Amino acid sequence: GVSFSRNFGIEKSNGEYIFFIDSDDIIAPDCIEILVGLMEKYHTNCSIVGRKSFMSKNDIEYSDKQVELIKGENIIEGLFNKFEGFITGRMYKTEIIKIQNLRFKETISMGEDLLFNSYYFMRCDSIAFMSGIKYGYRQHEQSIVNDLSNLKWFDIIEVYRELIEVFSSNKILINKIHYRYKTALCEAKYRIRKNNLKDTKLSKRLEKYILEENKVKLKNIGIKEKIKLIIFICFPKFTMYYKRRMLR
């Protein structure tokens, strides 16, 4: 699996930096040069470039933009808005990963990158973010994310539950995590119904999670996010169709 492979790569690595790339993705010719240059110029713990999802028939247009230095609590918050929690399109310090013994959780198949980044970024003083597109993330209709019948997708629910525990004391961030968690539960409910998984251990566990989460009131999130969540709750089929349609 991907987590085992990445952990194996970490163990064998002996360079100053670590960069992860999926075997079917593409990067701009200057992607690595830019990432290393940002790390060395600004002396940050991580550097990030923009990424764009594409299907095999689509082309990627690379671009350059101004660099933004991000510090303090804004680093972790960026995982849930500005640059997301993906593992690809960024450069890490080998020293931080190895000293802190950071590894990918091999028991999950979805959201393992968000979990890894959360623990890594907690150890960062600053990161450099260049939002210009330098990484192309290839999408497949049969991937864990896009295949509605793939039960591995449900691992993301446990990831959000762990993050809620880890960041429970951060009043601003916890609301953003709960927003993502509520959205994931909406999708989980739709996938359960779509695959006729009622009265299974999985559906009963999710039912319990939904009842618990319904008691949590969201604060400090934008009107746009609230509207998106309401639409997802009321029209899950339409929302899932739209999400899949956007990939074509």
Side-chain angles (χ1 to χ4, degrees), residues 97-209:
I97 292 175
K98 292 199 170 184
I99 288 178
Q100 299 295 332
N101 195 31
L102 301 178
R103 298 293 185 272
F104 292 90
K105 188 174 283 191
E106 296 177 19
T107 55
I108 61 174
S109 301
M110 179 73 181
E112 74 286 345
D113 45 359
L114 175 59
L115 207 54
F116 178 91
N117 275 320
S118 295
Y119 288 118
Y120 182 90
F121 283 7
M122 286 170 66
R123 276 85 177 178
C124 292
D125 297 320
S126 62
I127 64 172
F129 176 51
M130 197 280 286
S131 58
I133 303 300
K134 295 293 178 182
Y135 191 99
Y137 174 48
R138 193 185 303 274
Q139 293 279 308
H140 302 278
E141 294 217 9
Q142 298 307 312
S143 69
I144 293 176
V145 175
N146 300 320
D147 181 5
L148 298 180
S149 64
N150 196 323
L151 297 183
K152 292 181 179 179
W153 178 89
F154 291 94
D155 287 352
I156 191 65
I157 300 298
E158 301 302 331
V159 169
Y160 281 125
R161 290 180 67 81
E162 182 171 338
L163 291 175
I164 287 170
E165 285 189 28
V166 172
F167 297 110
S168 59
S169 61
N170 188 321
K171 293 183 179 179
I172 296 177
L173 184 58
I174 197 65
N175 276 290
K176 295 184 178 183
I177 299 174
H178 272 293
Y179 169 74
R180 293 295 187 91
Y181 181 44
K182 287 176 184 290
T183 303
L185 286 173
C186 287
E187 183 167 343
K189 192 174 180 179
Y190 176 81
R191 286 175 180 252
I192 288 286
R193 189 165 60 248
K194 181 82 173 174
N195 293 295
N196 295 315
L197 295 173
K198 295 178 181 178
D199 298 321
T200 63
K201 288 184 179 179
L202 175 61
S203 65
K204 289 177 180 178
R205 187 170 79 246
L206 286 169
E207 220 173 282
K208 177 186 173 185
Y209 291 168

Side-chain angles (χ1 to χ4, degrees), residues 17 19 30-41 44 46-50 88-92 128 130 134-135:
Y17 304 117
F19 176 81
D30 59 351
C31 178
I32 303 295
E33 179 183 358
I34 287 174
L35 286 166
V36 172
L38 290 173
M39 296 278 277
E40 297 184 346
K41 179 178 179 179
T44 60
C46 182
S47 58
I48 302 174
V49 292
T88 51
R90 51 202 67 184
M91 193 72 72
Y92 300 87
M130 197 280 286
K134 295 293 178 182
Y135 191 99

Side-chain angles (χ1 to χ4, degrees), residues 13-69:
S13 64
N14 54 23
E16 187 175 352
Y17 304 117
I18 289 180
F19 176 81
F20 299 98
I21 179 170
D22 291 345
S23 59
D24 55 351
D25 290 349
I26 58 176
I27 59 174
D30 59 351
C31 178
I32 303 295
E33 179 183 358
I34 287 174
L35 286 166
V36 172
L38 290 173
M39 296 278 277
E40 297 184 346
K41 179 178 179 179
Y42 297 103
H43 305 289
T44 60
N45 303 119
C46 182
S47 58
I48 302 174
V49 292
R51 52 174 254 162
K52 183 177 181 180
S53 300
F54 72 102
M55 298 295 277
S56 56
K57 62 182 179 181
N58 297 334
D59 295 324
I60 290 289
E61 290 187 11
Y62 299 118
S63 61
D64 294 285
K65 289 190 177 180
Q66 289 186 328
V67 177
E68 180 181 357
L69 287 180

Side-chain angles (χ1 to χ4, degrees), residues 1-12 20 103-109 112:
V2 65
S3 292
F4 174 87
S5 300
R6 288 170 178 166
N7 288 338
F8 185 82
I10 290 172
E11 296 297 334
K12 296 296 181 181
F20 299 98
R103 298 293 185 272
F104 292 90
K105 188 174 283 191
E106 296 177 19
T107 55
I108 61 174
S109 301
E112 74 286 345

